[in-house]
C-alpha cells in the first residue's frame, strides 16, 4: 500500500483509520512520507529540516488499535514553533542554528493526538510576507506551477501538503498566513477564532495570530482543531469552548443560512475577474442549495486601515527579531543581518512610541466592533481569498531597493485576509475552483467563536463541489 502514488494524498483521518485497523503500518506510512519528501523537496524547497530516524522511531511506537485520532499520521510543523532539540529559524539568518529547549503547545498537542512529526517547513523571514522566498533558504515553489509562490507565511506547509509529501501540515495565521497558502495550493485553510489555540509557553494571548493546519478536507481540519483547541494554565485570554466537538458540528447540516457576498476589498487593490468570480460562484452555489444569498458591501474600508494594521503587526513580528538577539549577544540587529523588508519594519518599529501601538490597537478594535455588528445580519460572508493568482516568485524577490513598496505589494495580493485577524472571527479558504491551471480559493467568514458552524458550511460546499481528487502535476 505504501507504493500507492495517492497514499499521502488521502485524508489524514482515513490514514489513521487504516493504521488503527492494522491495514497499514505506521512505519510504512511514515517511511512513504519521508521518501516522498526526499523525492519532491529538492525542487519545491518546502522543508527546513527532515527528521528521518526520529520519525521512524516514533512510528515504531504506534500499533494497531491506537485510539488517538491521528495515530501514525505524518505531519510537518512550520519552523516558527519550538521543538525541543531542533532548529528554530523563523526563516531568518539572525536566528542562526539555535535549537529549542522546549516543545511549543501545538507540538505537544499534535503528538498527543498521535501525529508523527517528520520535519519543519519553510516560511518567509519572521513570517512577514505572503510568499516564501528568503535570503537564508531561497524560494519555496508551488507544486501547481514551480515558477509561482506557494503562499506565505505557511508556504512550506502548503507546498508539502499539495505535493503529497504529508497529508496535513501545521500552519499559523497573523494576517492570512494559513488561508493564503491554502488558496495558492488548492487546500483547506482555516483561521480559528482568536486565542482558540494556546501559545503556551511563550505568550498568553495574541490579538492577530492563531495556529491551525492545512489539509485536503474539511473533516481533517475540524478534527485537527479539536486536537489543538483549548487553553493552558497561565493563558491571559482564551476563546469560549464549543458546546460539542467541532468535528460533530461540522458534520451536521447547517440549516438555512443568511449569506452576504462581496468582491470589494477592504483596502485599495485590483481584484482579478477570476478571483471575484470565485466568490460570486460560491454564493450562487449556496443559493442553489437553498440559502438566502445577497451581494452586499461590508463596512470594512476604514481610512488608514492598512497603516493601523501595520502599526500593530510590525511590532509583533519584529519582537521575534529582538528575541533572537537576546539568544545571542543582545546587540541590536544590523541591516546586513536582515532582509530589506524586515530591516525596514525594524526601523519603522524603532521609531514608534508605545502610544502609537496603543492607538493602532484601539482603532482596529473600534473597526472590528463595527464590522461584527454589521455582520450580525448574516451567518457567513463570502469573499475572494486572494486578489490575484499566486505571484511569480521572481517578481517578489527578497532583494529589493524598495522594501516598503514590496511590503505594500503584499497587501495588494492579499487584501481580504487580514480583516479576520483584526476582528478575531474564524475564516476559511476553500479550493472550490481552478483558472488557467491554478487553484482559485473562495473565503468564508463565520460568526465569532463559531468555527464548527463555519466548517459545516464548508463541508456543504465540499459535498456539492468536491475538490480532494484534484492534484497538481508535481503530486
Amino acid at each position: 500500500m505504501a507504493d500507492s502514488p495517492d497514499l499521502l494524498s488521502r485524508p489524514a483521518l482515513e490514514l489513521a483509520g487504516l493504521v488503527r485497523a492494522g491495514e497499514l503500518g505506521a512505519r510504512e506510512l511514515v517511511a512513504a512520507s519521508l521518501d516522498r519528501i526526499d523525492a519532491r523537496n529538492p525542487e519545491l524547497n518546502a522543508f527546513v529540516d527532515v527528521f528521518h530516524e526520529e520519525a521512524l522511531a516514533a512510528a515504531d511506537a504506534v500499533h494497531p488499535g491506537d485510539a488517538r485520532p491521528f495515530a501514525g499520521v505524518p505531519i510537518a510543523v512550520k519552523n516558527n514553533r519550538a521543538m525541543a532539540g531542533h532548529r528554530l529559524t523563523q526563516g531568518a539568518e539572525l536566528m542562526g542554528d539555535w535549537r529549542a529547549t522546549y516543545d511549543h503547545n501545538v507540538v505537544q498537542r499534535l503528538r498527543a493526538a498521535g501525529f508523527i512529526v517528520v520535519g519543519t517547513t519553510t516560511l518567509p523571514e519572521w513570517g512577514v510576507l505572503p510568499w516564501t522566498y528568503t535570503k537564508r533558504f531561497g524560494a519555496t515553489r508551488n507544486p501547481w506551477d514551480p515558477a509561482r509562490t506557494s503562499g506565505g507565511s505557511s508556504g512550506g506547509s502548503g507546498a508539502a501538503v499539495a505535493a503529497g509529501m504529508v497529508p496535513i501540515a501545521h500552519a499559523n495565521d497573523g494576517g492570512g498566513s494559513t488561508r493564503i497558502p491554502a488558496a495558492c495550493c488548492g487546500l483547506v485553510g482555516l483561521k480559528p477564532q482568536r486565542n482558540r489555540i494556546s501559545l503556551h509557553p511563550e505568550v498568553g494571548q495574541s490579538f492577530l495570530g492563531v495556529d491551525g493546519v492545512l489539509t485536503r478536507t474539511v473533516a481533517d481540519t475540524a478534527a485537527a482543531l479539536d486536537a489543538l483547541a483549548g487553553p493552558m494554565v497561565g493563558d491571559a485570554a482564551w476563546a469560549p469552548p464549543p458546546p460539542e466537538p467541532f468535528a460533530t458540528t461540522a458534520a451536521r447540516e447547517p440549516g438555512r443560512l443568511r449569506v452576504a457576498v462581496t468582491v470589494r476589498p477592504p483596502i485599495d487593490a485590483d481584484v482579478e475577474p477570476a478571483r471575484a468570480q470565485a466568490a460570486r460562484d460560491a454564493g450562487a452555489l449556496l443559493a442553489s442549495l437553498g440559502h438566502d444569498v445577497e451581494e452586499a458591501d461590508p463596512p470594512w474600508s476604514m481610512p488608514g486601515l492598512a497603516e493601523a494594521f501595520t502599526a500593530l503587526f510590525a511590532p509583533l513580528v519584529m519582537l521575534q527579531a529582538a528575541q533572537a538577539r537576546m539568544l545571542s549577544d543582545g546587540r541590536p540587529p544590523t541591516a546586513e543581518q536582515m532582509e530589506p523588508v524586515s530591516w525596514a519594519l525594524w526601523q519603522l518599529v524603532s521609531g514608534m512610541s508605545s502610544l502609537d501601538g496603543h492607538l493602532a490597537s484601539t482603532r482596529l478594535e473600534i473597526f472590528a466592533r463595527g464590522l461584527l455588528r454589521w455582520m450580525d445580519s448574516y451567518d457567513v460572508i463570502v469573499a475572494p481569498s486572494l486578489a490575484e493568482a499566486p505571484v511569480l516568485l521572481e517578481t517578489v524577490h527578497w532583494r529589493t531597493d524598495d522594501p516598503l513598496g514590496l511590503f505594500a505589494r503584499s497587501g495588494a495580493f492579499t487584501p481580504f485576509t487580514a480583516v479576520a485577524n483584526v476582528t478575531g472571527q474564524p475564516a476559511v479558504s476553500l479550493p472550490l475552483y481552478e483558472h488557467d491551471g491554478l487553484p482559485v480559493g473562495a473565503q468564508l467568514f463565520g460568526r465569532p467563536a463559531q468555527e464548527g458552524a463555519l466548517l459545516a458550511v464548508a463541508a456543504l460546499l465540499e459535498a456539492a463541489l468536491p475538490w480532494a481528487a484534484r492534484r497538481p502535476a508535481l503530486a
Side-chain angles (χ1 to χ4, degrees), residues 274-355:
R275 318 300 136 181
Q277 193 60 47
R280 291 192 172 107
D281 287 349
L285 180 55
L286 287 170
S288 73
L289 296 171
H291 302 286
D292 300 320
V293 180
E294 63 182 32
E295 194 152 333
D297 285 331
W300 60 16
S301 297
M302 179 184 82
L305 176 62
E307 292 77 11
F309 180 82
T310 300
L312 190 62
F313 175 79
L316 292 175
V317 295
M318 286 300 102
L319 176 62
Q320 299 166 111
Q323 291 170 333
R325 301 317 295 161
M326 291 170 60
L327 295 172
S328 55
D329 56 18
R331 297 177 182 176
T334 65
E336 291 71 29
Q337 294 172 312
M338 301 176 78
E339 294 175 9
V341 170
S342 299
W343 179 244
L345 291 181
W346 179 270
Q347 292 179 302
L348 178 67
V349 171
S350 298
M352 291 172 58
S353 70
S354 60
L355 182 60

Side-chain angles (χ1 to χ4, degrees), residues 40-91:
R40 301 284 165 78
N41 196 56
E43 180 173 3
L44 296 176
N45 190 34
F47 280 82
V48 173
D49 290 312
V50 183
F51 313 141
H52 290 83
E53 293 182 6
E54 179 182 316
L56 290 171
D60 286 340
V62 177
H63 304 289
D66 194 317
R68 292 175 297 171
F70 292 101
V73 175
I75 193 170
V77 172
K78 186 177 175 180
N79 199 254
N80 66 349
R81 291 293 179 251
M83 294 181 60
H86 293 292
R87 291 195 299 171
L88 179 64
T89 70
Q90 303 278 1

Side-chain angles (χ1 to χ4, degrees), residues 52-389:
H52 290 83
E53 293 182 6
E54 179 182 316
L56 290 171
D60 286 340
V62 177
H63 304 289
D66 194 317
R68 292 175 297 171
F70 292 101
V73 175
I75 193 170
V77 172
K78 186 177 175 180
N79 199 254
N80 66 349
R81 291 293 179 251
M83 294 181 60
H86 293 292
R87 291 195 299 171
L88 179 64
T89 70
Q90 303 278 1
E93 289 187 341
L94 194 61
M95 287 292 291
D97 288 324
W98 182 77
R99 292 181 181 271
T101 57
Y102 63 93
D103 284 339
H104 190 279
N105 169 62
V106 295
V107 175
Q108 296 176 32
R109 295 201 180 206
L110 289 172
R111 286 177 168 155
F115 283 112
I116 308 296
V117 180
V118 295
T120 58
T121 54
T122 55
L123 68 155
E125 187 173 74
W126 312 117
V128 170
L129 294 169
W131 41 75
T132 303
Y133 194 172
T134 64
K135 179 181 180 181
R136 180 166 189 181
F137 296 113
T140 296
R141 301 185 178 277
N142 193 323
W144 292 86
D145 180 353
R148 296 180 181 271
T149 184
S150 62
S153 63
S154 308
S157 290
V161 177
M165 291 189 267
V166 287
I168 183 171
H170 162 256
N172 37 47
D173 192 317
S177 291
T178 299
R179 290 160 289 153
I180 295 162
C184 288
C185 295
L187 304 172
V188 178
L190 170 73
K191 184 206 86 71
Q193 173 67 28
R194 175 186 294 143
N195 294 319
R196 174 65 71 196
I197 297 166
S198 175
L199 296 171
H200 171 84
E202 294 164 352
V203 295
Q205 62 178 322
S206 174
F207 185 77
L208 296 177
V210 62
D211 287 270
V213 292
L214 286 161
T215 73
R216 294 185 180 280
T217 70
V218 173
D220 278 356
T221 293
L225 182 59
D226 282 320
L228 290 170
M232 295 289 286
V233 173
D235 284 353
W238 55 86
E244 62 182 2
F246 295 110
T248 302
T249 309
R252 185 181 299 123
E253 286 287 332
R256 187 163 181 166
L257 303 168
R258 298 165 296 169
V259 180
V261 177
T262 184
V263 298
R264 182 176 60 84
I267 61 174
D268 187 21
D270 294 328
V271 181
E272 290 179 352
R275 318 300 136 181
Q277 193 60 47
R280 291 192 172 107
D281 287 349
L285 180 55
L286 287 170
S288 73
L289 296 171
H291 302 286
D292 300 320
V293 180
E294 63 182 32
E295 194 152 333
D297 285 331
W300 60 16
S301 297
M302 179 184 82
L305 176 62
E307 292 77 11
F309 180 82
T310 300
L312 190 62
F313 175 79
L316 292 175
V317 295
M318 286 300 102
L319 176 62
Q320 299 166 111
Q323 291 170 333
R325 301 317 295 161
M326 291 170 60
L327 295 172
S328 55
D329 56 18
R331 297 177 182 176
T334 65
E336 291 71 29
Q337 294 172 312
M338 301 176 78
E339 294 175 9
V341 170
S342 299
W343 179 244
L345 291 181
W346 179 270
Q347 292 179 302
L348 178 67
V349 171
S350 298
M352 291 172 58
S353 70
S354 60
L355 182 60
D356 293 329
H358 284 297
L359 286 173
S361 178
T362 299
R363 290 193 67 198
L364 293 176
E365 288 173 4
I366 292 170
F367 164 84
R369 287 184 187 275
L371 178 57
L372 291 174
R373 190 179 303 115
W374 176 87
M375 191 183 165
D376 196 50
S377 299
Y378 301 99
D379 300 298
V380 178
I381 299 175
V382 180
S385 296
L386 302 173
E388 55 188 291

